[in-house]
Amino acid sequence: MLPEVLPYHLSVRDHFKKHSSVWEFFAAAHTREEQLGAFQTELLKNKSPLRRETDPGVYEQIDLVLDRLGLGQLSVTAWQAADADEFEWNAGIVYLHQEAHLVFCGPIRQQLNDAEMLAVIAHELTHIRLYTALDGELEVVDRIITAIANHPGSEPPYDETARLFKIYAEIYCDRGAYAVLGDSDPIITGLSKIATGLPGENATTPTHPKNFIRARAIRLWQDQGAAADPDIAKMIEGPADLHRLDVFSQSALHTLTREVLLELLQPDWVRTAGVLGLAQQYFPGLSWPGNSDTGVRERLITALENAEPGIHEYFSYLLLDLALADPSLENQLAGQVIAFAEEVRLAAVFEPICKKEMQFGEKKWQQYKQSALAAWHDVRSV
């Protein structure tokens, strides 16, 4: 069964289509030809074409893959790096003007067995299925994120989005190879040989993080099919990490931060000029609805359960800033924040940060905490 486009691809496509000027620029035919033409020139530099009459085995495998992937009308030319011994083992492909150029670098044609070579060719040609999916929209996305990732001023969430998009593209193409071979073993051993440069039985399961993910993902796909996708997504994306947010996790963190502020500052007595000044540094023009959203606590608990320590620290410092935003509230606001931290199971991180930043020892902290909670209970009962 041929692979379906993965949900992450669709999410990234939808994200960039909202930015109409960017999308229209990259979708324009002249932009595509300029970018892919330059890439093709670079890819084929110092490469020699392989001919059907002199390398029939390569083209027999290409024809087999084209047939099994439903790409029978595609014109493919295979190329080899001029001096195979000077290049790392690799393969690449570029698709322009209804033609594909498949490039082999290093001695992979000599070192991979027939099944492994078939897997490599199938993987690369599956990129064409991805490029042509959805009327070519994913090829547009690929060029957009490649341009962003290569720009020196690229922001970290866009770098991470590009990284994840490309990993998911590799996962998709490995599934294409599996559709051709019906066996994940040659995909994994070929991947390992290419990654390590070790021939024959010296190649084992890949240990490089990206290659290990690919190997495990295709094995899970072979064993479980689509049921494996949630586990594969967790393996690829991992827990939320403050320093590795993609555009979607960044947006989710932004939304949750806003919800926490709205919930904590819901009572009228809290929203003094000092507190509002701090809140509106985060979100200019922030205003409060009439009703409390108690679901914020559950959403924050869930987010913290699936997050790296940096996310816990981020929310802890946010709460500390709020607790100390206005001395005129004495300990009442601090009590509300401390109670909230306990409710969302953040106290184990929040309280040590408070002691450190406020320069409190354990005894002084406990006294402060008890006083703050008592003041908070008093103001709530009024």
Side-chain angles (χ1 to χ4, degrees):
M1 182 176 65
L2 296 176
E4 296 182 359
V5 171
L6 297 169
Y8 196 84
H9 294 143
L10 298 177
S11 296
V12 178
R13 186 273 312 266
D14 293 345
H15 172 82
F16 283 113
K17 287 194 78 172
K18 293 176 184 176
H19 301 270
S20 57
S21 60
V22 173
W23 184 266
E24 290 168 5
F25 173 80
F26 280 91
H30 66 86
T31 303
R32 179 178 187 271
E33 298 220 353
E34 287 177 6
Q35 290 181 312
L36 291 179
F39 179 51
Q40 177 176 301
T41 299
E42 186 62 30
L43 184 70
L44 301 183
K45 191 181 296 182
N46 299 320
K47 309 296 190 298
S48 301
L50 303 177
R51 308 294 184 188
R52 281 187 176 271
E53 56 270 21
T54 56
D55 295 280
V58 171
Y59 283 94
E60 286 175 6
Q61 289 191 311
I62 288 173
D63 292 342
L64 174 62
V65 170
L66 291 175
D67 180 63
R68 292 185 180 178
L69 292 180
L71 298 171
Q73 302 304 311
L74 180 66
S75 174
V76 180
T77 302
W79 300 73
Q80 175 65 53
D83 188 344
D85 293 333
E86 293 184 3
F87 291 85
E88 63 179 81
W89 299 19
N90 203 354
I93 197 164
V94 64
Y95 174 64
L96 182 63
H97 298 144
Q98 308 302 313
E99 295 181 349
H101 296 274
L102 176 61
V103 177
F104 303 112
C105 295
I108 62 174
R109 292 192 298 129
Q110 292 75 35
Q111 298 296 346
L112 301 189
N113 63 37
D114 287 346
E116 292 162 348
M117 271 301 298
L118 190 64
V120 168
I121 292 170
H123 175 98
E124 294 302 325
L125 288 174
T126 303
H127 278 289
I128 307 301
R129 286 193 62 87
L130 188 63
Y131 296 156
T132 55
L134 307 174
D135 296 323
E137 289 184 335
L138 296 183
E139 188 273 332
V140 175
V141 175
D142 186 69
R143 284 187 288 112
I144 292 174
I145 62 172
T146 297
I148 292 174
N150 290 339
H151 193 282
S154 176
E155 297 180 358
Y158 283 97
D159 288 344
E160 180 64 7
T161 304
R163 185 185 73 85
L164 291 174
F165 184 93
K166 291 181 181 298
I167 290 177
Y168 275 112
E170 297 303 305
I171 297 296
Y172 174 89
C173 292
D174 286 338
R175 293 181 182 184
Y178 179 76
V180 170
L181 279 83
D183 184 5
S184 65
D185 286 345
I187 302 170
I188 295 170
T189 58
L191 178 65
S192 182
K193 289 179 183 179
I194 291 172
T196 63
L198 296 175
E201 296 180 357
N202 293 321
T204 58
T205 300
T207 56
H208 184 280
K210 185 177 78 171
N211 292 331
F212 174 80
I213 286 172
R214 285 179 57 187
R216 185 164 184 266
I218 195 60
R219 187 74 80 189
L220 288 171
W221 175 257
Q222 175 178 268
D223 294 342
Q224 302 176 28
D229 280 348
D231 288 337
I232 292 172
K234 288 179 182 178
M235 181 172 58
I236 292 172
E237 299 176 36
D241 185 335
L242 192 63
H243 303 292
R244 296 195 71 170
L245 299 174
D246 66 358
V247 294
F248 308 113
S249 51
Q250 181 192 49
S251 177
L253 183 64
H254 179 275
T255 298
L256 188 55
T257 299
R258 185 176 183 276
E259 290 179 339
V260 168
L261 286 171
L262 288 172
E263 178 62 17
L264 271 172
L265 306 185
Q266 181 66 30
D268 292 339
W269 61 267
V270 171
R271 297 196 298 275
T272 65
V275 173
L276 288 178
L278 173 64
Q280 291 174 351
Q281 287 180 31
Y282 287 93
F283 298 94
L286 189 65
S287 60
W288 275 260
N291 299 317
S292 176
D293 182 2
T294 55
V296 170
R297 289 164 171 75
E298 289 304 318
R299 289 194 289 276
L300 184 54
I301 289 170
T302 299
L304 293 173
E305 285 176 344
N306 300 294
E308 293 285 349
I311 300 291
H312 294 237
E313 293 174 0
Y314 164 78
F315 278 107
S316 293
Y317 276 102
L318 172 68
L319 296 184
L320 178 58
D321 283 348
L322 287 171
L324 304 178
D326 190 343
S328 71
L329 290 174
E330 297 181 341
N331 289 342
Q332 298 160 342
L333 179 55
Q336 175 154 320
V337 171
I338 291 169
F340 183 85
E342 290 178 344
E343 287 180 35
V344 299
R345 305 170 195 170
L346 192 58
V349 178
F350 172 69
E351 293 191 10
I353 286 175
C354 289
K355 288 187 282 186
K356 173 188 171 184
E357 298 299 330
M358 299 171 73
Q359 298 183 345
F360 283 177
E362 180 61 26
K363 182 177 180 180
K364 189 172 183 180
W365 166 252
Q366 290 300 331
Q367 291 173 341
Y368 175 82
K369 177 180 175 180
Q370 291 174 12
S371 176
L373 289 172
W376 173 62
H377 283 295
D378 287 345
V379 77
R380 289 182 70 200
S381 63
V382 173

